[in-house]
Amino acid sequence: MIIFITGATSGFGLAMTEKFISLGHQVIAVGRRQERLDKMKKDLGVNLLPLCLDIKNKNLVTKQISELPLNWKNIDVLINNAGMALGTESAQKSSILDWEEMIQTNINGLLYCTHAVLPGMVERDKGQIINLGSVAGEFPYPGGNVYGATKAFVHQFSLNLRSDLLGTKVRVTNIEPGMCQTEFSEVRFRGDITKANNLYAGMTPLTAADIAETIEWIVSRPAHLNVNVISLMPTDQAFSGFAVHRS
Ligand code: NDP
Ligand code: 8X3
């Protein structure tokens, strides 16, 4: 299979790339950091096609996907994984630039990739799209404001895609993980490694390997079965009750 993975240079994307290559698939690995892509190419070999691409750039996404080499063109699986949270400040203290960056990446970037790949899947009547949502798209928490809202978009867009694709063999899944230790929190806390590590202190988070295994399971389900949504959390994470302010 040909598997197109955005955000392949770190975390979930890197773990998925390694897993799918080890299973003999071809992987198109997308990320912005060229040096990481070069190292991946060296480590993973001919079944890896590195694509240095910022998914926020609509024209470049369209161009690079339309110019894929012939033997890489017929994408079987699109994994819209690239994304980020920036900050945990309350909405009234947040930076509008952070909000825009999250919307442009988690929503617009995902849409550009989907829009470029989906018509080919429908034409071939075969394909699978897996979107990385989050528990933050379902459950609110302080400081989750725009990040959670972008993931709520991913949830509903995934379900709406299924509605449009009924009658085709194209499948869509939204996977919604909870806390998982990758570079995610380093990005969220702007490189403050201590703050990022403290988030996982005294608990056992999910790992990128857990997500890669789950996605491999989704991809290997038979063609008649669509996994709509998967929500998964560390056993050490759960929900909270309503907050009440008392004066
Ligand atoms: P990482 O920070 O480890 O990886 C994020 C990846 O996205 C990197 O490879 C980064 O590569 C890439 N990326 C970011 N922006 C762009 C862009 N504009 N264009 C192309 N690539 C981009 O985080 P995770 O692996 O943890 O996160 C992956 C996804 O999972 C995200 O959508 C995140 O919101 C979601 N998620 C994460 C959870 C967690 O707790 N870790 C839980 C739930 C969901 P580069 O910088 O090279 O471009
Ligand atoms: C990230 C998961 O629980 O940190 O999407 O919001 S959480």
Side-chain angles (χ1 to χ4, degrees):
M1 279 198 292
I2 300 178
I3 304 178
F4 188 103
I5 303 178
T6 67
T9 55
S10 168
F12 302 171
L14 181 58
M16 283 181 241
T17 301
E18 290 170 344
K19 178 149 210 82
F20 284 123
I21 294 271
S22 77
L23 293 170
H25 299 295
Q26 289 173 253
V27 174
I28 303 168
V30 174
R32 293 163 302 175
R33 285 170 286 184
Q34 183 71 62
E35 67 288 357
R36 290 206 182 189
L37 292 170
D38 290 345
K39 182 172 183 312
M40 289 167 71
K41 177 69 189 162
K42 213 166 129 210
D43 294 345
L44 300 172
V46 289
N47 278 339
L48 184 93
L49 180 68
L51 210 57
C52 192
L53 175 62
D54 185 336
I55 61 161
K56 301 193 297 294
N57 187 325
K58 179 172 60 180
N59 293 337
L60 264 188
V61 169
T62 312
K63 182 172 169 352
Q64 294 213 23
I65 291 179
S66 71
E67 289 175 356
L68 283 170
L70 257 186
N71 56 331
W72 290 88
K73 255 192 183 332
N74 293 343
I75 295 166
D76 296 293
V77 183
L78 165 64
I79 305 179
N80 280 313
N81 165 71
M84 89 261 288
L86 293 174
T88 50
E89 294 82 14
S90 52
Q92 61 274 27
K93 291 183 185 150
S94 292
S95 146
I96 191 71
L97 295 178
D98 286 350
W99 283 9
E100 286 173 343
E101 178 79 10
M102 288 187 277
I103 290 169
Q104 282 159 10
T105 310
N106 302 357
I107 298 182
N108 293 2
L110 179 145
L111 291 180
Y112 300 152
C113 293
T114 305
H115 198 262
V117 171
L118 185 58
M121 288 183 170
V122 172
E123 209 177 294
R124 295 186 293 279
D125 202 16
K126 180 171 173 258
Q128 201 166 8
I129 298 179
I130 299 174
N131 293 328
L132 259 296
S134 166
V135 292
E138 198 174 352
F139 304 101
Y141 60 80
N145 42 70
V146 167
Y147 176 66
T150 64
K151 294 304 185 180
F153 176 94
V154 172
H155 175 95
Q156 199 61 23
F157 179 61
S158 306
L159 297 183
N160 280 338
L161 272 180
R162 278 292 301 146
S163 297
D164 286 351
L165 290 165
L166 184 69
T168 77
K169 296 280 188 289
V170 181
R171 297 181 283 169
V172 184
T173 299
N174 179 35
I175 170 162
E176 306 184 332
M179 293 168 78
C180 182
Q181 194 160 13
T182 58
E183 291 176 21
F184 175 84
S185 293
E186 289 174 41
V187 173
R188 186 169 214 172
F189 297 122
R190 298 178 185 83
D192 187 334
I193 310 275
T194 312
K195 221 168 166 183
N197 287 340
N198 282 345
L199 193 69
Y200 308 105
M203 56 88 65
T204 307
L206 299 174
T207 66
D210 294 327
I211 307 303
E213 269 168 38
T214 306
I215 290 184
E216 199 275 313
W217 177 82
I218 295 167
V219 166
S220 57
R221 290 313 84 212
H224 71 275
L225 191 162
N226 188 86
V227 179
N228 295 332
V229 182
I230 287 196
S231 168
L232 59 164
M233 271 182 173
T235 310
D236 286 341
Q237 184 182 19
F239 326 104
S240 192
F242 289 115
V244 179
H245 169 73
R246 301 179 201 280
S247 52

